[in-house]
Amino acid sequence: MIDRLEKEVDMLERHLQVLRMVIENEPIGIVKMSNETGYPHHKVRYSLRVLEEENLIEPSSQGAITTDHTAEFVDDLDDKLDGTVGKLRSMRIDSAPEADN
């Protein structure tokens, strides 16, 4: 049950790492991102596609660049992550009942 969540978190981490690279190095291409992150080209390409669909980046002839929506997304990101972490913490089962012998 938790495996899917872990995979989603790993993928989100990759998407955000790719976004961070675009923000810090724009314009930047797939090959450079792949070389610097160690992610295969197809995974970087997928993350770029997801970020483009979210209107956070756009392609240019020199590589990926940010959009007008990127800064607002980044500004809201910490609060959204904190909210999600809080929700996950509230789901904890702190202690399982001890079995009676």
Side-chain angles (χ1 to χ4, degrees), residues 22-74:
V22 174
I23 291 168
E24 293 172 356
N25 303 293
E26 65 180 315
I28 186 169
I30 292 171
V31 173
K32 185 173 181 182
M33 280 190 263
S34 178
N35 289 342
E36 290 188 17
T37 62
Y39 293 128
H41 290 108
H42 71 278
K43 289 194 174 196
V44 172
R45 190 176 294 111
Y46 178 73
S47 290
L48 289 170
R49 187 176 334 125
V50 168
L51 294 169
E52 186 176 356
E53 288 172 1
E54 294 292 323
N55 202 20
L56 298 173
I57 64 160
E58 58 188 28
S60 76
S61 58
Q62 293 85 27
I65 58 173
T66 58
T67 69
D68 295 338
H69 302 280
T70 308
E72 181 181 352
F73 173 82
V74 170

Side-chain angles (χ1 to χ4, degrees), residues 81-99:
L81 289 174
D82 288 344
T84 302
V85 168
K87 188 177 227 180
L88 289 170
R89 281 199 178 110
S90 73
M91 290 185 222
R92 288 179 160 224
I93 301 173
D94 291 329
S95 59
E98 303 253 346

